[in-house]
Amino acid sequence: MAEPILLEMRGVKIEGQTGPDWLPIIKGVDLTLRKGEVLGLIGESGAGKSTLGLAAMGYKRGGCRISGGSIKFDGQELVGATRNDLRALRGRRIAYVAQSAAASFNPAHNLIDQFSEGPMIHGLADRSTSQAEAVALYDAVQLPEPRTIGFRYPHQVSGGQLQRAMTAMAMACKPDLIVFDEPTTALDVTTQIEVLAAIRKAVSELGTAAIYITHDLAVVAQMADRIMVLRYGNLVEEADTRRMLSAPQEAYTKSLWSVRTFEATPKPASDPAPLLQVENVTAAYGDLTVLHDISTKVQTGRTVAVVGESGSGKSTLARAITGLLPPKQGRIVMDGKALAPDFRRRGKDDLRAIQMIYQIPDTALNPRQTVAQILARPARFFTGLSGKALQDRVDDLLALIDLEPGVFRSRLPGELSGGQKQRIGIARALAAEPRLIICDEVTSALDQLVAEGILRLLDRLQQELDLSYLFITHDLATVRAVADSVVVMQYGKVVEDGPKAQVFSPPHDPYTELLLSSVPDMDPDWLTRTLEARG
Amino acid sequence: MNSLLRLAGTRLFYGIITLVVVSIVIFFAVELLPGDVAQQILGRDATPETLAALRERLGLNDPAILRYLSWLRGIVQGDLGASLVTGQPIGDLVIGRLGNTLFLAAFAAIVAIPLALFLGVMAALYRDTWFDRTINTVTLAAISLPEFFIAYILVLFFSIGFSFQMSGPLAVIAAFVLLALLRGILQARKTGETSGIQLVIAAVFLLILLNGYFRFLPLTTEPMRVLPSLSRMSEDTDFGERIFNSILPMLTLVLVTTAYTMRMTRANIVNILAAPYIEMATLKGVPPARIIFWHALPNAWAPIINVVALTLAYLITGVVVVEAVFVYPGLGQLLVDSVAKRDITMVQACCLIFAAAYVLLNMMADVFAIATNPRLLHPK
């Protein structure tokens, strides 16, 4: 703690404009960061993490204002500083790494030009010097072909590589502070571990301080010296990483920590008949074959988790089962009866038996329809209810998903929280009284606490209604929590398929092993240990 | 590059298909008109015998489809047929007129497009300042005025010149501007950001409008016979004189097109300024001007090129009214005259040329817009 203070925030208040009103986003937060220190900011979405991180650069997004407090960077007050003063600091002494590298790189310029822009406008280096530095930094963040990769355009580079290139770009001017805003949230686990390693190595070699923003506790445990927990724009708790992980003080922090302890209700040991069988299915988009000879099955009242990274064909499998993408070969068998490949040729009873819940509840609900309309439509279509009976059915559905019918019946999706929207998505699937529900990454867009609530709800519904789930996810923690059996997919093929206990215990298939070992642990030494184990 | 050529090839193919469809529409629309070409030519001299003879000579007794095909064959071979009125080959008549129209379009484009892009970029750079609001208000007013009206106003100011009270004509302009402003203000009300500038400008124009009736401001001007209101032009008019004679039609076209192009440029750039990579650039300490020119503009080209192409197409095909007002000897004027004289073959030819210009420009815009997309320029 001998290092001098680099960044000091005192009583920072930030407000956002909603119509004519200014609502508080940050309600008076203190933050101290010393030179070379890595501070983790965690909290759920809407907690104000990004807003606070950006405020460290004296930056506020459109429609926001800093309404109080002081932000001092190396003795210089940033609140009320002139634009020119702030511009001289940004990029030069404080740099930013954004969540989505794909969106934050300019598509019109190659990587190295965007790298050199910083040093050149800040007058630190000319083009050739800064290009040489770029190559050195690309090497440091372990990008392949560091000499030439900079001359590629953002769309020619993968997401994980872009995120590393962005870390390199942030370090171009050797800043004193880098703000990392959820830099690995959009990545697959196997990619995430590479990016985490690159960031940690680069930060420690440069000796720069960092603010690391994330909602993932296990990630922050690897990166930060100290952790601050934010909620509703307030500081909940602050402590050194190890103490925070081993002995959280506040109830909210403890609840965050305990999320990963959820387990679905154990099923009876019997081996029920298969409800759905996928037999040798091959499916393609045009000439591009996405699924190669897939076979698996889902038993009545059980949950099958389909895991794999993006591009492994998980969602395509769902499209093939529902008939949205008719398979080229193979067949889908439901209750011993082969279903028509194309959903248009399936009868009403076949259609109602399989329902879907989607990843992003915001776009899966019609924003112009009330909750009652959204639920009444499938109920009327599939079960032929009308009038009073239909109203009662809607109320029953709402009660089933723990939402008060009187309160929520007439609401529009815009008036619901993310978790409530996902509950409506579940109720809409239930309205058809299905046998099988395909859950496509249903918790990925939600905060951990909210996601846990959804998982608990799905578990209870399975018990009450004897539902089967096909649970598509890239999150192995979710798989551990809910699955009875697991299908591991890679490049459109099934790598492993079996009961959860069997898939998750050694010996593993090499790919399953890679997936499992890439999931961060809450243990702060996990990253170091894993990297050493991999050599 | 290869994919780009293939793309240009497919667009060209579709462009030709479009033109063939247009030629069918033009030919058969004219077919639908009452009377036939023979009657048009003979007029009052028509007797059943002369009509029959002429029809035979012109091949009018053939089925329409055969006549269409022979017309199409002629066009493909560069023969647009002969004028019904003068009997001269249409190609010779059209070529000079087309040259004049292209001259005026080029003249207007050279002024209007750089001006519009410059103003659009500036308005985006200084958005929501008084500069932006003033430009927006003025251009909104220019869009709202019909082009013949702008043309006559310009003639009033620059060629006729007058020393009587100007309050009346000014009041009419003010009425138009006020209508445009009202739209803008109502829009601003909805989003809750009514600007003082708009209200001030509105008040000024209201004053001018009222002045048209009450005459409390003695607005007069000296005679200004500085620019010709008729664009006389012949084969031997030299370049300087051509420029001078076409200043007023050019100004009219500039006023009409700049507003639209500028507003679309601004809107496209402002749209892109919301992108995460712009926030990233800001957080790298990039100055605002560089953000606009290096980060935003290269990504705004595709929509801007489309707007520019539409503007160019308008400058060629939409000049009919402006040419008529200034009696400018262009293709539009020829079209108007030919319609009046019932010179059907000439009308067909003019329409086809306009359509071809329109299709060609849009096709080029498509290709250029796609060519500025880095994903196509630098494939994986």
Side-chain angles (χ1 to χ4, degrees):
Chain A
M1 281 296 143
E3 293 289 334
I5 288 175
L6 182 67
L7 177 75
E8 192 170 30
M9 294 191 183
R10 287 289 165 265
V12 171
K13 287 185 183 147
I14 300 173
E15 295 176 339
Q17 198 173 23
T18 323
D21 304 321
W22 289 92
L23 299 175
I25 299 172
I26 300 290
K27 304 167 184 164
V29 170
D30 293 345
L31 182 155
T32 308
L33 186 68
R34 290 170 186 280
K35 280 199 169 141
E37 189 184 22
V38 180
L39 172 70
L41 277 186
I42 64 166
E44 299 172 61
S45 54
K49 310 181 295 284
S50 290
T51 310
L52 193 64
L54 288 168
M57 310 182 73
Y59 181 82
K60 53 220 176 281
R61 291 216 160 107
C64 293
R65 66 178 182 196
I66 299 176
S67 55
S70 134
I71 302 168
K72 273 195 179 143
F73 177 79
D74 209 9
Q76 182 184 352
E77 178 61 54
L78 301 188
V79 178
T82 66
R83 280 198 219 170
N84 284 333
D85 287 346
L86 288 173
R87 203 149 60 222
L89 279 181
R90 290 176 187 159
R92 167 75 191 83
R93 302 201 59 199
I94 317 174
Y96 181 69
V97 174
Q99 171 169 2
S100 167
S104 296
F105 267 111
N106 193 324
H109 301 289
N110 66 26
L111 299 181
I112 208 159
D113 281 351
Q114 299 191 53
F115 178 99
S116 309
E117 187 182 25
M120 281 162 70
I121 54 174
H122 289 294
L124 297 177
D126 59 14
R127 180 180 294 270
S128 58
T129 321
S130 101
Q131 289 196 346
E133 280 168 15
V135 172
L137 274 170
Y138 288 156
D139 196 29
V141 294
Q142 291 144 31
L143 279 172
E145 301 164 42
R147 297 205 155 275
T148 53
I149 195 167
F151 296 95
R152 294 200 213 159
Y153 283 76
H155 68 273
Q156 296 169 319
V157 180
S158 77
Q161 290 171 354
L162 269 187
Q163 203 69 51
R164 277 178 274 170
M166 176 160 285
T167 305
M169 184 164 82
M171 293 191 291
C173 297
K174 302 185 179 57
D176 302 292
L177 169 63
I178 302 179
V179 178
F180 292 94
D181 192 355
E182 306 250 14
T184 62
T185 304
L187 304 175
D188 283 320
V189 278
T190 51
T191 319
Q192 167 171 282
I193 188 169
E194 291 165 13
V195 175
L196 288 180
I199 289 177
R200 202 169 67 168
K201 178 161 170 266
V203 166
S204 70
E205 280 175 8
L206 197 63
T208 176
I211 294 178
Y212 198 98
I213 298 165
T214 177
H215 67 275
D216 189 333
L217 297 162
V219 165
V220 85
Q222 313 308 317
M223 308 304 284
D225 305 320
R226 192 155 51 93
I227 294 177
M228 282 173 72
V229 182
L230 287 181
R231 190 187 201 193
Y232 305 141
N234 287 314
L235 177 63
V236 176
E237 194 172 350
E238 179 178 3
D240 286 345
T241 300
R242 277 168 205 281
R243 223 197 70 220
M244 184 71 108
L245 290 172
S246 56
Q249 302 296 308
E250 298 293 321
Y252 174 68
T253 317
K254 285 178 189 161
S255 76
L256 278 181
W257 266 228
S258 67
V259 166
R260 288 168 178 255
T261 57
F262 169 74
E263 283 270 354
T265 318
K267 309 290 188 322
S270 71
D271 193 26
L275 175 69
L276 176 93
Q277 283 163 291
V278 177
E279 294 178 354
N280 306 99
V281 163
T282 296
Y285 293 111
D287 292 335
L288 181 72
T289 304
V290 184
L291 295 179
H292 302 272
D293 197 24
I294 301 280
S295 296
T296 187
K297 63 177 193 293
V298 184
Q299 295 167 313
T300 307
R302 298 294 158 90
T303 302
V304 173
V306 180
V307 281
E309 299 181 271
S310 45
S312 61
K314 310 184 295 286
S315 293
T316 310
L317 179 60
R319 289 173 60 86
I321 293 172
T322 50
L324 289 168
L325 180 72
K328 279 193 162 172
Q329 286 161 31
R331 44 181 215 152
I332 311 289
V333 180
M334 186 87 182
D335 253 347
K337 173 175 152 265
L339 296 177
D342 191 329
F343 77 95
R344 293 180 195 86
R345 294 171 174 275
R346 291 185 188 174
K348 204 178 256 192
D349 283 332
D350 288 342
L351 288 175
R352 78 186 274 189
I354 305 177
Q355 292 292 312
M356 271 195 85
I357 312 171
Y358 298 88
Q359 175 170 8
I360 303 172
D362 303 87
T363 54
L365 302 179
N366 186 332
R368 300 264 176 205
Q369 287 186 347
T370 63
V371 165
Q373 286 173 312
I374 290 169
L375 299 183
R377 200 179 142 95
R380 188 169 47 229
F381 179 76
F382 285 114
T383 59
L385 294 172
S386 62
K388 181 78 174 70
L390 186 62
Q391 297 300 323
D392 290 345
R393 175 68 178 146
V394 167
D395 289 354
D396 290 346
L397 285 168
L398 283 171
L400 211 51
I401 54 166
D402 300 332
L403 293 181
E404 178 63 43
V407 179
F408 288 95
R409 215 183 285 127
S410 55
R411 288 217 184 154
L412 291 168
E415 299 166 316
L416 303 173
S417 73
Q420 287 166 345
K421 279 183 216 164
Q422 197 56 291
R423 281 167 190 261
I424 299 300
I426 294 172
R428 179 175 60 183
L430 293 177
E433 296 171 11
R435 317 258 325 261
L436 170 73
I437 297 183
I438 298 176
C439 307
D440 190 357
E441 302 268 11
V442 289
T443 54
S444 302
L446 303 174
D447 287 314
Q448 287 181 28
L449 277 177
V450 181
E452 193 206 348
I454 295 291
L455 294 182
R456 282 185 198 281
L457 173 66
L458 286 172
D459 184 50
R460 201 196 75 215
L461 292 170
Q462 185 167 47
Q463 300 301 309
E464 290 176 11
L465 306 170
D466 201 26
L467 288 168
S468 303
Y469 293 136
L470 186 74
F471 211 98
I472 294 169
T473 181
H474 68 276
D475 180 17
L476 288 151
T478 311
V479 176
R480 278 207 178 86
V482 303
D484 297 306
S485 62
V486 180
V487 176
V488 183
M489 287 184 69
Q490 185 191 20
Y491 306 136
K493 296 195 178 84
V494 172
V495 174
E496 226 174 345
D497 184 359
K500 176 168 68 172
Q502 181 194 319
V503 172
F504 276 180
S505 53
H508 298 300
D509 169 272
Y511 178 69
T512 314
E513 168 69 36
L514 179 70
L515 267 187
L516 288 173
S517 68
S518 299
V519 179
D521 259 349
M522 295 284 273
D523 175 4
D525 299 321
W526 167 82
L527 183 61
T528 318
R529 218 175 44 231
T530 310
L531 291 174
E532 275 169 7
R534 289 188 188 178
Chain B
M1 219 50 218
N2 204 8
S3 62
L4 204 60
L5 279 179
R6 203 167 54 230
L7 184 106
T10 26
R11 291 294 151 125
L12 192 65
F13 176 72
Y14 285 125
I16 290 169
I17 299 275
T18 311
L19 277 181
V20 170
V21 173
V22 168
S23 74
I24 293 172
V25 171
I26 292 173
F27 186 86
F28 289 95
V30 171
E31 267 316 283
L32 288 176
L33 294 175
D36 69 2
V37 177
Q39 281 174 331
Q40 301 285 356
I41 295 176
L42 293 175
R44 290 182 187 177
D45 303 333
T47 64
E49 293 77 30
T50 51
L51 272 178
L54 189 58
R55 279 184 187 141
E56 187 61 37
R57 187 158 65 81
L58 293 176
L60 292 184
N61 294 327
D62 296 341
I65 186 81
L66 282 183
R67 278 181 287 124
Y68 167 73
L69 286 177
S70 85
W71 181 60
L72 195 65
R73 192 174 62 228
I75 292 167
V76 172
Q77 291 165 352
D79 175 17
L80 289 168
S83 160
L84 290 184
V85 175
T86 63
Q88 285 176 285
I90 290 177
D92 298 349
L93 283 170
V94 155
I95 201 92
R97 294 300 194 101
L98 181 62
N100 285 345
T101 290
L102 290 179
F103 173 78
L104 179 58
F107 189 19
I110 283 170
V111 177
I113 287 170
L115 181 70
L117 293 184
F118 175 76
L119 288 179
V121 168
M122 284 299 135
L125 187 53
Y126 298 104
R127 63 194 173 285
D128 300 328
T129 63
W130 64 267
F131 173 80
D132 180 31
R133 297 218 162 109
T134 312
I135 292 266
N136 265 313
T137 308
V138 171
T139 52
L140 195 61
I143 291 179
S144 309
L145 294 170
E147 49 192 328
F148 67 86
F149 189 78
I150 292 183
Y152 285 128
I153 296 290
L154 289 175
V155 167
L156 190 67
F157 273 85
F158 291 107
S159 4
I160 299 178
F162 55 105
S163 52
F164 58 85
Q165 292 229 326
M166 279 184 62
S167 314
L170 278 177
V172 179
I173 305 177
F176 273 100
V177 176
L178 270 177
L179 278 178
L181 278 175
L182 206 63
R183 202 174 82 186
I185 290 172
L186 284 179
Q187 262 173 13
R189 264 283 156 76
K190 223 178 279 172
T191 53
E193 42 189 51
T194 328
S195 77
I197 290 276
Q198 276 178 333
L199 292 176
V200 170
I201 298 178
V204 170
F205 278 99
L206 188 65
L207 210 65
I208 298 175
L209 178 61
L210 293 177
N211 190 44
Y213 189 78
F214 296 108
R215 310 267 163 153
F216 44 81
L217 296 171
L219 291 172
T220 59
T221 175
E222 291 304 305
M224 297 196 344
R225 293 187 183 82
V226 287
L227 292 170
S229 66
L230 295 181
S231 310
R232 287 194 196 83
M233 248 176 233
S234 63
E235 297 277 314
D236 46 337
T237 316
D238 68 28
F239 185 72
E241 204 172 333
R242 272 170 188 265
I243 293 276
F244 185 70
N245 281 348
S246 44
I247 285 182
L248 281 189
M250 179 276 287
L251 274 182
T252 310
L253 290 172
V254 166
L255 277 174
V256 174
T257 54
T258 302
Y260 177 67
T261 315
M262 171 263 152
R263 290 172 72 86
M264 291 301 283
T265 305
R266 177 190 181 277
N268 280 314
I269 292 181
V270 166
N271 208 2
I272 281 171
L273 289 181
Y277 54 80
I278 299 295
E279 178 173 83
M280 189 71 218
T282 312
L283 293 174
K284 278 161 77 181
V286 179
R290 187 177 161 86
I291 288 186
I292 298 274
F293 286 103
W294 203 71
H295 286 279
L297 204 51
N299 293 293
W301 278 133
I304 290 176
I305 286 171
N306 272 311
V307 173
V308 168
L310 272 181
T311 308
L312 288 174
Y314 172 82
L315 285 177
I316 295 172
T317 65
V319 292
V320 177
V321 173
V322 175
E323 287 186 1
V325 169
F326 292 101
V327 202
Y328 183 91
L331 207 54
Q333 181 70 29
L334 182 65
L335 179 63
V336 173
D337 289 347
S338 307
V339 170
K341 292 179 197 154
R342 316 234 166 235
D343 193 344
I344 287 168
T345 48
M346 187 72 95
V347 172
Q348 286 175 337
C350 289
C351 287
L352 199 60
I353 290 172
F354 280 147
Y358 206 86
V359 168
L360 187 72
L361 280 165
N362 272 297
M363 198 182 78
M364 280 164 62
D366 273 2
V367 173
F368 280 123
I370 293 167
T372 58
N373 183 341
R375 280 167 199 275
L376 268 173
L377 279 182
H378 312 277
K380 287 197 177 201

